[in-house]
Amino acid sequence: MHFVVWSFAAKELERNVQRNALKPNTIAAAILKKQQVNQYLYRDSTFWARNSNRLQSAKDSVWRSRYWRNAAIAVSASLGVCGYVVYNYDTAYLVAASAYRSSVAAKVTCQVAWDYYRNFPDLPPENKEGDETIQQISDEERQQILAARAAVHLRAAEKVKNALMKNGGVYIKLGQHISAMQYVLPMEWCTTMQALQDQNTASSLEEVDKVVQADVGKSIDELFSLFDLKPIGVASLAQVHRAVLRETGEEVAVKVQHPMVRTYSDIDIATVSVMFEFIHSVFPDFKFMWLSAEMKNSLPRELDFRNDKHNAEKVAWEFARHSDIPLAVPKMIQASERVLIMEYVKGRRCDDLDYLHTHGIDPAAVSREIGRIFAEMTFVHGFLHCDPHPGNLFVRPRDKRTTIHGQNFDLVLLDHGLYRQLSHRFRYEYAEMWHALMKGDKEQIKYWSRQLSGTDLYKLFSTILTGQNWSTIETKTLSQTTAAAQLNIDALIDDQPDLFRQITEVLSSVPPVLLLVLKTNDLLRMVDMKLFADQPSAVQQHTQLRSWMRISHYCLLAIRDARAADISHSSSRVGVLRTTSRMARLLLNRLRFWLLDTTLSLYSTVLSIKDIFIRWRVALA
C-alpha cells in the first residue's frame, strides 16, 4: 500500500514541475520532497521484492488448504448421499453391485490376458526329416517350455476361478460349463474349474425364508415342522435343505433359489457377452460367443423351478416302461418359480467309491446303468438331461431281492432344470455319425459330419465327439481300442498350430443342441473315469470298450427304427406284392441289426467274464 501511495505522489510532483505549476521559491522544496519520495519508493520497493514470494506462498497455502477442505466436504457429502441412495433404493443398489461384479470380471480378464501375453512361451513344432527351417530344441528344453505353459494355464485358471466364486450365480455356472470343455481347453483349466461343482456359497437362513415367503406365501415355520439349517447341497443357482412338511409329516427336500441370482442374471450374461465380443474383436480366432448365447437361452428355464417339476415328471413317465433300468426320479410335490418341494431321497454321489464299496455296489454296474440311461435319452426318447455331473447323480442302496431291475441300487437323477428335446432327424443323423465312426468309414464320416456340424472339418469333429485320435478312427479300431478317451489340447496344438481356430469354427457352426450333447458326453466320460479310478488298468480299458459297444447298440436301434419307418412309408399303394415286399424288407432290416447287436452283446459278455478273472487275480496277488 505504501508503495502505491508514494508512487502516485512522485508522479504528481513530476507533472507539476514540468508544467511550471510550482513557484520558483517552492521548486527547491518540491525537489527536496521528490528526493524524500524516491527514498520512500526505494525502501518500499525493496520491502516488496523481499516479501512478495513469502506473501504469495502464504496465499497459495491458504488456497490449497481451503481447496482440500472443500473437496473433502464435497466427497464426504457425495459418499453420504450415494450410500443413503444405495441403501434405501433397490435400483441404485443393483447398479452399484452390478458395476462391482462387472469390474471383477473385467479385472481378471485383463490380468489373465497380460499374463498370457508376457509369460506364455511359444513351442516350436516337432522337427520333420528334411526340414532345416525349424529350430532345433532339445527334449529337456521342450519339457521346460511345456512346464512353463502349464504353469501359466494353472495360474490363470486359479485367478478366473476365484473371480467366478466372488461373483457367484451365473459366473459359477459359466465355470462349470468350462470344466466340461476338455475337447477345447487345456487340462489345467478343466481340472481347476471342476471345483466349482462343489464350492458354492450358501445363502443365509434369513434370505432363504424371504424367498420362501415371497414365492409360497408362507414362512418356513408355517410350512415345515423341521427344517435343517445346514443345506445338504449348494449349487450355483440354488441350495437344498432337508425338511419335514407340517401338514403331512412327509420328509422332503426343499430347493430354494439364491435370492440375487435372478436379479443379476441378465446383467451378468450381458457382461460376459460384451467381454467375449471384445476378446473376439482383438483376437478374431476367438469365437466363443455361442457360450454366452447358450447361457442366455438356457438360464431363464433353469431359473424357473416349475420347469424342473415338468421335466422330472416327463422323464419319470418316459422310463416307467423300462423296468430293467434302475432309475429313480424324486416325486415333485410343489413348485413355484424359486422354490421346489420334492421327495427326499437318501443316497450319495455316484463317484463316492468308499460309499459304493461299503454297500457292496459294483462301480462297473453303476457305470453301465448310467450309460444305458443317457443312451436311452439320446437315441430313443429324445429328451436329454444335459447336466449329468456327479453331484446330480446319486446312488441309493437297495435290497436286490426286492427290486424288479435286479440291481442292488437305484440311480437317482437330480436337478432337472436343463433338458433338451432332440428331434427325430437329429437322433438319426447322430446315430449314423456314430455308426460311421465305429466302422471307420471315412466317406460316411465326412458326409454325416457335414450334416451335423455344418463344416468340412470332419477329422476334428470326430476327435471332439469320441475323445480319440483320428488315427484310431481312420484305422477302423475305435470299437476295439482300449485307450482312455482323453484329449491333450496342448499336444494337438503343437502338431497343428491352427487347431484353436478350427475348434472355435466347429463349435460356432454346430447347432446349439449338439453343443449340449457334446457337453453331456464329456461329463459322462468324467463320471466313468472317477468310477474306475481304483480299478486295475485292464478293467479300465474294458470299460472303454463296453462304452463303445453300448453306444453302438443304441445307434443300431435308432438306425433300425428310422429305416423301418422309411420302408413303411416308401409307397402308399396297397397290393399283395407291394405288401409282401415291404414286409420282407422290414424283416431283413430287423434281422440284420439283430445279428449285429447280438455280436456286440456276446463280446460285452466275454469282457465282463475277463474282468471277473482280472479282479480275482489282483485280489489274490
Side-chain angles (χ1 to χ4, degrees):
M1 187 67 186
H2 284 247
F3 179 77
V4 176
V5 172
W6 286 115
S7 296
F8 178 77
K11 290 181 181 294
E12 189 63 26
L13 285 172
E14 185 75 27
R15 285 195 294 270
N16 289 335
V17 170
Q18 291 176 356
R19 294 198 307 266
N20 293 322
L22 299 175
K23 293 181 179 181
N25 59 349
T26 62
I27 290 178
I31 291 173
L32 179 61
K33 188 71 173 176
K34 181 179 179 182
Q35 291 175 351
Q36 293 175 351
V37 169
N38 287 336
Q39 289 177 358
Y40 278 112
L41 285 175
Y42 175 78
R43 186 183 65 188
D44 284 357
S45 63
T46 302
F47 171 81
W48 181 264
R50 187 171 60 249
N51 294 283
S52 60
N53 291 336
R54 189 182 302 166
L55 293 172
Q56 185 63 37
S57 177
K59 288 182 179 180
D60 290 345
S61 178
V62 172
W63 183 86
R64 282 195 298 269
S65 177
R66 291 177 179 175
Y67 172 80
W68 287 113
R69 183 188 64 188
N70 295 336
I73 293 173
V75 170
S76 300
S78 300
L79 290 176
V81 171
C82 291
Y84 176 81
V85 172
V86 168
Y87 182 79
N88 290 278
Y89 295 92
D90 291 340
T91 303
Y93 175 80
L94 177 61
V95 171
S98 300
Y100 170 76
R101 294 162 67 83
S102 301
S103 67
V104 170
K107 178 182 177 181
V108 74
T109 300
C110 295
Q111 288 177 339
V112 169
W114 182 251
D115 196 3
Y116 273 101
Y117 176 75
R118 288 294 301 271
N119 303 315
F120 195 72
D122 292 329
L123 183 65
E126 292 284 357
N127 299 320
K128 298 179 181 179
E129 294 184 4
D131 191 350
E132 299 179 354
T133 62
I134 298 178
Q135 181 182 2
Q136 299 283 339
I137 63 171
S138 65
D139 291 339
E140 183 178 354
E141 291 174 333
R142 191 177 187 86
Q143 292 302 319
Q144 290 177 352
I145 294 176
L146 289 174
R149 289 159 67 104
V152 175
H153 286 322
L154 185 60
R155 189 164 59 244
E158 285 289 344
K159 290 179 180 178
V160 172
K161 185 194 76 172
N162 293 335
L164 297 180
M165 291 182 65
K166 184 180 292 185
N167 280 347
V170 174
Y171 288 93
I172 296 289
K173 202 73 177 176
L174 175 63
Q176 292 174 352
H177 202 119
I178 291 174
S179 70
M181 298 172 66
Q182 299 181 17
Y183 49 84
V184 178
L185 298 175
M187 190 56 63
E188 291 81 6
W189 277 89
C190 299
T191 304
T192 301
M193 294 301 167
Q194 285 176 9
L196 295 178
Q197 295 176 359
D198 302 312
Q199 298 179 9
N200 298 289
T201 304
S203 299
S204 66
L205 183 62
E206 292 76 15
E207 292 173 325
V208 171
D209 194 27
K210 288 180 180 179
V211 173
V212 173
Q213 287 193 36
D215 273 46
V216 183
K218 294 182 180 180
S219 67
I220 290 177
D221 290 337
E222 293 173 328
L223 282 172
F224 310 105
S225 58
L226 174 66
F227 191 89
D228 281 354
L229 302 182
K230 184 179 180 180
I232 57 178
V234 182
S236 58
L237 304 181
Q239 62 192 52
V240 181
H241 291 261
R242 175 180 164 273
V244 176
L245 286 174
R246 187 173 293 279
E247 291 184 359
T248 63
E250 183 179 1
E251 189 175 20
V252 295
V254 185
K255 181 179 179 182
V256 184
Q257 193 174 116
H258 297 308
M260 298 305 294
V261 167
R262 184 183 296 273
T263 304
Y264 291 136
S265 60
D266 292 338
I267 295 174
D268 289 344
I269 292 175
T271 301
V272 172
S273 300
V274 170
M275 290 171 60
F276 282 3
E277 290 288 351
F278 171 74
I279 297 174
H280 174 62
S281 65
V282 178
F283 305 103
D285 288 343
F286 185 93
K287 299 178 181 178
F288 283 91
M289 289 74 70
W290 56 266
L291 184 55
S292 59
E294 175 55 37
M295 291 180 61
K296 186 176 182 179
N297 182 39
S298 301
L299 199 61
R301 306 181 191 181
E302 293 187 74
L303 290 176
D304 189 347
F305 291 167
R306 292 172 295 187
N307 288 323
D308 282 54
K309 183 174 184 294
H310 169 76
N311 293 336
E313 291 171 347
K314 182 174 181 179
V315 77
W317 180 82
E318 293 280 6
F319 279 91
R321 59 182 180 272
H322 297 284
S323 58
D324 60 325
I325 295 180
L327 176 65
V329 179
K331 181 181 67 174
M332 300 292 139
I333 299 172
Q334 182 180 349
S336 64
E337 282 191 89
R338 297 187 295 171
V339 178
L340 177 64
I341 303 175
M342 55 188 158
E343 171 192 4
Y344 177 76
V345 178
K346 296 180 180 179
R348 295 286 289 274
R349 289 168 54 116
C350 66
D351 62 344
D352 190 337
L353 295 179
D354 292 336
Y355 183 79
L356 298 183
H357 294 322
T358 300
H359 292 85
I361 299 173
D362 184 5
V366 174
S367 171
R368 180 180 64 250
E369 297 305 328
I370 290 175
R372 290 181 64 199
I373 289 169
F374 282 88
E376 284 278 346
M377 289 182 178
T378 303
F379 296 104
V380 181
H381 304 158
F383 190 59
L384 179 63
H385 186 296
C386 296
D387 198 18
H389 62 78
N392 289 337
L393 286 167
F394 272 33
V395 172
R396 176 176 64 182
R398 294 286 304 276
D399 185 350
K400 186 175 182 179
R401 295 168 297 181
T402 63
T403 60
I404 300 176
H405 47 68
Q407 301 291 340
N408 64 340
F409 64 90
D410 284 335
L411 279 168
V412 184
L413 188 60
L414 304 172
D415 194 359
H416 300 272
L418 185 58
Y419 274 78
R420 280 295 181 272
Q421 186 71 52
L422 309 181
S423 66
H424 290 284
R425 179 180 178 83
F426 175 85
R427 300 203 309 266
Y428 171 69
E429 292 177 351
Y430 189 62
E432 286 282 14
M433 178 68 187
W434 269 107
H435 191 48
L437 289 169
M438 295 298 176
K439 295 188 300 181
D441 189 332
K442 186 175 179 180
E443 293 303 317
Q444 287 292 307
I445 292 172
K446 290 172 66 175
Y447 175 78
W448 292 112
S449 176
R450 178 69 184 177
Q451 295 296 113
L452 280 171
S453 68
T455 70
D456 293 322
L457 300 172
Y458 63 93
K459 293 183 180 180
L460 180 60
F461 180 65
S462 302
T463 301
I464 291 174
L465 190 59
T466 62
Q468 295 287 346
N469 295 325
W470 171 250
S471 59
T472 304
I473 301 170
E474 190 177 24
T475 54
K476 303 182 180 182
T477 57
L478 179 63
S479 58
Q480 294 135 18
T481 183
T482 57
Q486 60 181 359
L487 236 58
N488 189 332
I489 296 299
D490 283 334
L492 291 176
I493 291 175
D494 295 342
D495 296 334
Q496 192 172 355
D498 198 33
L499 180 69
F500 184 76
R501 182 196 62 78
Q502 294 182 10
I503 290 176
T504 57
E505 182 178 342
V506 169
L507 296 179
S508 61
S509 301
V510 301
V513 66
L514 183 55
L515 292 172
L516 287 176
V517 172
L518 293 174
K519 172 193 171 185
T520 303
N521 285 346
D522 284 331
L523 288 173
L524 293 175
R525 288 187 193 126
M526 182 179 68
V527 171
D528 262 352
M529 290 172 60
K530 292 183 177 181
L531 283 172
F532 290 91
D534 64 345
Q535 295 294 315
S537 58
V539 175
Q540 295 181 18
Q541 293 168 357
H542 291 168
T543 300
Q544 182 64 68
L545 287 177
R546 279 195 294 271
S547 177
W548 298 134
M549 287 183 286
R550 184 167 53 244
I551 292 175
S552 296
H553 165 74
Y554 281 96
C555 287
L556 290 174
L557 288 179
I559 295 171
R560 182 200 68 186
D561 294 342
R563 292 183 181 178
D566 289 341
I567 294 172
S568 299
H569 298 88
S570 60
S571 177
S572 59
R573 296 183 181 181
V574 179
V576 176
L577 292 178
R578 290 187 180 277
T579 301
T580 304
S581 174
R582 187 182 301 115
M583 293 298 294
R585 291 165 61 192
L586 287 172
L587 182 60
L588 288 174
N589 176 64
R590 184 169 291 274
L591 180 61
R592 176 191 174 195
F593 286 97
W594 178 81
L595 290 173
L596 292 172
D597 195 37
T598 301
T599 303
L600 291 174
S601 298
L602 290 174
Y603 189 32
S604 180
T605 302
V606 171
L607 290 177
S608 298
I609 295 172
K610 286 184 177 180
D611 285 349
I612 294 173
F613 281 102
I614 292 171
R615 290 171 181 161
W616 178 67
R617 193 182 308 121
V618 171
L620 289 179

